[in-house]
Amino acid sequence: MDLSKKSPENVDFMIEEIKTKLRMVNVDAMKAEHFNTSEYEDLRELYEMVKGRSNFSPNEMQAIASELGSLRK
């Protein structure tokens, strides 16, 4: 997948990957349609950080969820 291009499909892919990696419980709150491409670069940076780590502390999980919340429409 070419994440260098801003597209709704790439947003959907990154959100789904983040949810899977973090094993998020409230997945309905994090739907791709809640995000738009205007925040694409920030979302991509968050995605790359999440994908590059193998585990997260509870505080880190809360910070990631908060950041995702701030990127929503």
Side-chain angles (χ1 to χ4, degrees), residues 24 29-30 34-35 46 62-73:
M24 295 182 86
M30 301 306 298
H34 295 153
F35 299 86
L46 186 61
Q62 185 175 3
I64 292 166
S66 176
E67 183 65 23
L68 283 169
S70 72
L71 295 175
R72 292 178 67 174
K73 290 182 190 175

Side-chain angles (χ1 to χ4, degrees), residues 9-49:
E9 293 82 16
N10 285 349
V11 169
D12 183 53
F13 173 79
M14 289 188 289
I15 294 298
E16 291 303 315
E17 289 291 310
I18 290 170
K19 289 190 306 190
T20 300
K21 178 82 176 199
L22 299 180
R23 295 182 212 116
M24 295 182 86
V25 176
N26 192 4
V27 294
D28 289 334
M30 301 306 298
K31 294 185 178 181
E33 59 264 15
H34 295 153
F35 299 86
N36 61 37
T37 55
S38 67
E39 303 291 339
Y40 187 83
E41 291 304 318
D42 293 332
L43 180 60
R44 185 173 172 195
E45 285 178 25
L46 186 61
Y47 163 78
E48 289 174 355
M49 186 274 299

